[in-house]
Amino acid sequence: KPENVVVLGSINVDIGARVNALPRAGETVAGGELSVRLGGKGANQAVAAARAGATVAMRGAVGTESFGLDPVAALEGYGVDMTGVATLAGASGAALITVDAQGENTIVVSPGANGRMAAAGPSCAGALLLAQLELPPELVRDAFRAHKAAGARTVLNAAPAVDPPEDLFALTDILIVNETELARYAGAEPADPADEDEIERAARGLRRPGQTLIVTLGARGALALAEAGRLRVPARPAEARDTTGAGDCFCGALAARLAEGAPLDVALEFAAAAAAISVTRDGAASGMPDRAEIDGALAG
Ligand code: ATP
């Protein structure tokens, strides 16, 4: 089956340890057993899209040193086509994560091979391209230009917030940000989370003509501004256990459903249902729900 979603993004190895209290500057603390897991926004969104029913091919880079994990094999295990992913000499991207007894964390991301990527690989006509900003942003911009010229739809989850290269947002058909990113890109003060009018005003300022702009609002759901008007999608009630990866789940599931030709409102409901399941589970990639679970939640 030809891929209908291409994910251009980061592939990381998440190295984590639990601690009682996060260490202060100069302090050494004892941690629990080390966990070594697949991570990175690109990898997480590729897994989310594949689990949600898309045929996914990834573009990205791993290093020759991946700290005991084989990220290519891990992604292939989820059914993601990794033939377009480069292997570069040196370390893979890695995130050093400490989590304390209250669930507070600190994260240090070392870009590794993600930051050494020089070219995004072949563009593909007909597919939907989904990217984030953990790769060199100019590379994402150039890939968007090539894919659009080939007739692809472009979806950008503009996370983490970086200085976007010129033209990147203009080349984006569907832009997805959270509230913090919205404030940063709209050049506004972070809005009072309770004041949705303020959030909507900032979103209207950021949105380009013809573009669909989606703002995710955590446990409050999402707001979408499109050519056809405004959509407010409530979150599905969920007993949150681990919200890391909720945004990645939302983006991957949304892309999977849009690539099937679903209209925006249907795809948004689907993404919200998928993300609500993911927050009830530990881990990012490992917590992504499959198609039957998402359809079941929507039906129930
Ligand atoms: P993260 O960086 O934590 O992965 P994010 O900031 O990119 O997340 P959020 O806005 O927190 O993204 O969440 C994305 C979507 O996930 C929301 O639009 C919502 O549909 C769903 N979601 C998040 N938290 C919850 C929750 N507690 N209960 C139900 N759904 C949730």
Side-chain angles (χ1 to χ4, degrees):
K1 224 162 96 179
E3 60 267 11
N4 60 3
V5 175
V6 174
V7 178
L8 168 65
S10 58
I11 302 169
N12 285 344
V13 179
D14 284 354
I15 302 171
R18 288 208 164 257
V19 294
N20 281 328
L22 300 172
R24 282 161 309 182
E27 193 185 11
T28 300
V29 301
E33 201 167 324
L34 208 63
S35 70
V36 180
R37 291 176 171 173
L38 178 67
K41 290 181 193 295
N44 289 343
Q45 294 186 17
V47 170
R51 297 268 293 162
T55 306
V56 182
M58 202 163 175
R59 305 276 187 274
V62 296
T64 47
E65 170 52 56
S66 295
F67 320 104
L69 189 88
D70 182 344
V72 172
L75 279 150
E76 281 171 347
Y78 288 105
V80 176
D81 179 347
M82 296 294 282
T83 51
V85 171
T87 301
L88 308 177
S92 284
L96 305 178
I97 305 171
T98 51
V99 184
D100 75 10
Q102 280 71 49
E104 284 295 332
N105 62 29
T106 66
I107 304 178
V108 178
V109 177
S110 168
N114 299 305
R116 297 196 302 276
M117 234 182 124
S123 53
C124 33
L128 182 148
L129 178 65
L130 170 63
Q132 318 75 31
L133 294 176
E134 285 185 335
L135 296 182
E138 290 75 18
L139 182 143
V140 175
R141 189 260 322 273
D142 294 348
F144 271 33
R145 197 169 277 144
H147 275 76
K148 273 193 83 73
R153 250 197 300 180
T154 52
V155 184
L156 178 66
N157 173 212
V162 299
D163 289 330
E166 204 182 339
D167 294 343
L168 175 60
F169 289 178
L171 291 162
T172 300
D173 295 316
I174 301 175
L175 179 62
I176 309 170
V177 292
N178 67 16
E179 292 162 273
T180 322
E181 291 143 10
L182 171 67
R184 168 82 186 271
Y185 294 128
E189 287 292 305
D192 172 1
D195 189 346
E196 284 205 16
D197 291 339
E198 213 178 300
I199 292 170
E200 186 164 339
R201 218 171 303 124
R204 289 195 186 281
L206 180 62
R207 178 179 168 270
R208 310 278 169 134
Q211 186 177 64
T212 296
L213 174 63
I214 300 169
V215 185
T216 64
L217 306 168
R220 288 173 297 123
L223 169 72
L225 301 178
E227 212 55 17
R230 168 193 187 283
L231 276 167
R232 181 68 175 84
V233 187
R236 296 217 145 216
E239 216 159 285
R241 183 183 154 84
D242 177 5
T243 60
T244 36
D248 291 338
C249 181
F250 185 94
C251 294
L254 183 87
R257 203 72 178 88
L258 286 174
E260 294 170 9
L264 182 64
D265 58 335
V266 172
L268 284 167
E269 295 279 356
F270 184 82
I277 299 171
S278 81
V279 302
T280 66
R281 300 178 180 170
D282 269 336
S286 60
M288 300 301 177
D290 70 15
R291 182 57 175 261
E293 292 172 308
I294 305 167
D295 284 343
L298 285 166

